[in-house]
């Protein structure tokens, strides 16, 4: 990738097409025939979304805001918004178009979400709005308490049924799906490097969590299905494709970050994606003989603050960040033997922790085919979009 991009001045982001193709096929293999809905927040590049959706095994997009979903639905006919919305302007735009209303499904976990839509556009003045209910997929451990993420308050089957009853009885809405995200399985590395005991504990916790969730999700889906025919039941993420796909109550799984293979997934026991995406930063200073300073670099991933949220310096091999400074918004000093040989204008390659943060910082992704740059695709940012 370094040779292929020799004519480019950093800062830039790049995607290795062979690695991207490998990851896309491997995700489909791991899903074992269950369709994959692409999580757009981990890609944020329409060209990549379109290419993946053209492959066997992929169907539809899981968007992260309604405004984004409306934009994508101009060309994609099946977009589910993975998070509830309070964007009144976007709700109004959805309600003003029969075509968009047929293509976009919004997420709810309370009657309040229905009230918000009705307050923007009355039921008689709009097409029916497609809605899906999110089931809380966290794990309530007797020892550790709440394990997972705080999302939906709908945890039990009777709660899901009660909300479904409210939707079905409500004019102007159509209940079409359910969703649940088991973050404690999909997004938690179960083989952290240098911590075998922690890895064993995480894997045991994940097994217990999935066993509980499979039973609870099946009950919730059955309860809701008695009231409305569900078009889809979505679950999981890149890290849980096998386990979630094996749940018979699930009709599709979600994945997105596994396409780019960020370094978060270096800490999983059951799959190893190729590092398909990376970014290059230029050397712009030499503050001391044994170190150089890179321009920018503080592309920090979401989640609990920690070293695992920082970009990973990967090439030239042997470089490390300075502990008291690490990755900064305007500069990132690095030390190590290769630093003594780097000159101003040379580039250093880094991998991001998750996937979405790369496209948030560059206007395009350069496509690397073997040892050449085959082209470039605009990111959301490159198309003038910043949804969140």
């Amino acid at each position: 990738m370094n040779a292929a991009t020799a004519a480019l001045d950093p800062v830039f982001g790049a995607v290795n097409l062979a690695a991207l193709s490998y990851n896309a096929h491997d995700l489909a293999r791991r899903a074992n025939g269950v369709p994959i809905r692409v999580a757009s927040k981990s890609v944020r590049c329409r060209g990549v979304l379109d290419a993946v959706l053209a492959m066997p095994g992929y169907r539809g997009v899981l968007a992260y805001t309604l405004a984004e979903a409306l934009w994508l639905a101009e060309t994609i006919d099946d977009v589910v918004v993975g998070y509830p919305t309070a964007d009144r302007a976007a709700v109004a735009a959805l309600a003003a178009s029969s075509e968009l209303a047929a293509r976009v499904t919004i997420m709810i976990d309370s009657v309040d979400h229905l009230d918000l839509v009705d307050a923007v556009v009355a039921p008689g003045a709009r097409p029916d709005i497609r809605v899906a209910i999110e089931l809380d997929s966290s794990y309530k451990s007797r020892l550790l308490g709440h394990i997972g993420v705080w999302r939906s308050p709908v945890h039990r089957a009777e709660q899901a049924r009660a909300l479904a009853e409210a939707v079905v009885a409500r004019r102007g809405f159509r209940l079409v799906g359910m969703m649940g995200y088991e973050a404690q399985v999909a997004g938690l590395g179960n083989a952290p490097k240098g911590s075998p005991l922690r890895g064993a504990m995480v894997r045991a916790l994940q097994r217990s969590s999935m066993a509980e969730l499979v039973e609870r999700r099946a009950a919730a889906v059955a309860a809701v299905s008695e009231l409305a025919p569900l078009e889809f039941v979505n679950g999981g993420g890149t890290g849980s494709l096998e386990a979630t796909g094996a749940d018979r109550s699930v009709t599709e799984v979600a994945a997105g970050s596994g396409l780019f293979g960020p370094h978060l997934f270096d800490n999983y026991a059951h799959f190893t994606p190729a590092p398909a995406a990376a970014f290059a930063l230029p050397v712009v200073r030499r503050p001391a003989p044994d170190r150089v300073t890179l321009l920018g670099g503080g592309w920090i991933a979401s989640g609990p603050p920690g070293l695992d949220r920082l970009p990973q310096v990967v090439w030239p091999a042997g470089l490390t960040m300075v502990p008291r400074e690490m990755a900064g918004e305007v500069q990132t000093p690095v030390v190590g033997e290769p630093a003594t040989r780097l000159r101003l204008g040379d580039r250093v390659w880094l991998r991001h922790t998750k996937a979405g943060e790369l496209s948030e910082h560059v206007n395009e992704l350069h496509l690397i085919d073997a040892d050449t740059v085959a082209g470039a695709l605009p990111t959301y940012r490159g198309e003038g979009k910043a949804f969140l």
Side-chain angles (χ1 to χ4, degrees):
M1 290 177 70
N2 193 60
T5 59
L8 299 178
D9 285 329
V11 175
F12 61 82
V15 174
N16 186 292
L17 291 178
L20 176 64
S21 176
Y22 170 84
N23 289 341
H25 284 286
D26 194 53
L27 288 171
R29 175 193 64 79
R30 293 175 54 216
N32 196 29
V34 178
I36 298 174
R37 185 176 293 274
V38 185
S40 63
K41 77 173 184 64
S42 300
V43 178
R44 306 189 195 211
C45 173
R46 285 203 295 180
V48 173
L49 292 175
D50 291 341
V52 173
L53 289 173
M55 296 176 57
Y58 291 84
R59 184 181 68 199
V61 168
L62 186 67
Y64 65 106
T65 70
L66 179 54
E68 179 210 16
L70 297 176
W71 182 61
L72 292 176
E74 294 173 4
T75 56
I76 298 172
D77 63 7
D78 180 8
V79 185
V80 175
V81 186
Y83 306 85
T85 186
D87 185 339
R88 291 173 172 81
V91 169
L94 174 65
S97 169
S98 296
E99 182 179 22
L100 291 176
R103 291 183 166 200
V104 174
T105 303
I106 65 172
M107 195 64 55
I108 68 167
D109 60 39
S110 75
V111 174
D112 292 343
H113 294 129
L114 306 179
D115 293 341
L116 187 145
V117 173
D118 280 347
V120 174
V121 183
R126 68 171 196 249
D128 285 353
I129 302 298
R130 293 166 53 88
V131 302
I133 292 173
E134 177 160 3
L135 179 72
D136 172 38
S137 298
S138 64
Y139 182 46
K140 310 301 184 184
S141 168
R142 292 182 180 180
L143 179 63
L144 301 174
H146 179 97
I147 304 295
V149 290
W150 292 97
R151 290 173 63 115
S152 172
V154 181
H155 187 76
R156 302 186 305 276
E158 56 267 31
Q159 293 174 308
R161 182 184 177 91
L163 182 54
E165 288 174 344
V167 176
V168 171
R170 194 90 167 236
R171 184 184 175 200
F173 296 96
R174 186 154 68 92
L175 179 57
V176 299
M178 291 184 69
M179 173 190 166
Y181 176 50
E182 46 270 41
Q184 68 278 11
V185 182
L188 185 60
N190 57 16
K193 293 181 179 179
S195 302
L197 180 59
R198 173 178 168 80
M201 293 174 61
V202 169
R203 292 191 294 273
L205 179 67
Q206 290 175 335
R207 287 192 296 269
S208 297
S209 174
M210 282 305 302
E212 183 275 335
L213 178 59
V214 166
E215 182 177 342
R216 179 163 54 85
R217 180 158 47 197
V221 170
V224 172
S225 296
E226 291 177 357
L227 303 171
L230 298 179
E231 296 177 14
F232 66 88
V233 177
N234 181 280
T238 291
S240 72
L241 290 184
E242 296 88 348
T244 306
D247 183 344
R248 294 186 178 182
S249 67
V250 171
T251 66
E252 62 179 40
V253 291
S257 52
L259 293 168
F260 286 165
H263 74 78
L264 174 74
F265 296 122
D266 292 350
N267 297 295
Y268 282 70
H270 54 291
F271 71 106
T272 306
F279 62 97
L281 302 179
V283 173
V284 292
R285 280 178 172 163
R286 180 177 294 283
D290 65 338
R291 64 196 62 203
V292 293
T293 301
L294 312 178
L295 183 68
W299 302 4
I300 312 301
S302 61
L307 296 178
D308 62 344
R309 303 290 120 171
L310 297 177
Q312 182 185 75
V313 183
V314 293
W315 192 88
L319 292 174
T320 60
M321 295 181 188
V322 177
R324 291 188 178 182
E325 190 164 348
M326 304 307 285
E329 180 183 6
V330 295
Q331 70 171 39
T332 300
V334 292
V335 296
E337 190 277 329
T340 63
R341 295 180 278 105
L342 289 172
R343 299 171 297 177
L344 296 188
D346 287 348
R347 78 274 301 273
V348 171
W349 287 86
L350 300 91
R351 293 170 64 203
H352 46 303
T353 299
K354 290 190 174 180
E357 66 266 33
L358 175 61
S359 294
E360 283 296 287
H361 287 271
V362 296
N363 290 331
E364 59 188 358
L365 297 174
H366 296 278
L367 308 177
I368 311 304
D369 185 7
D371 59 354
T372 62
V373 177
L377 291 173
T379 60
Y380 283 9
R381 169 176 160 156
E383 295 196 62
K385 301 295 183 180
F387 296 107
L388 186 60

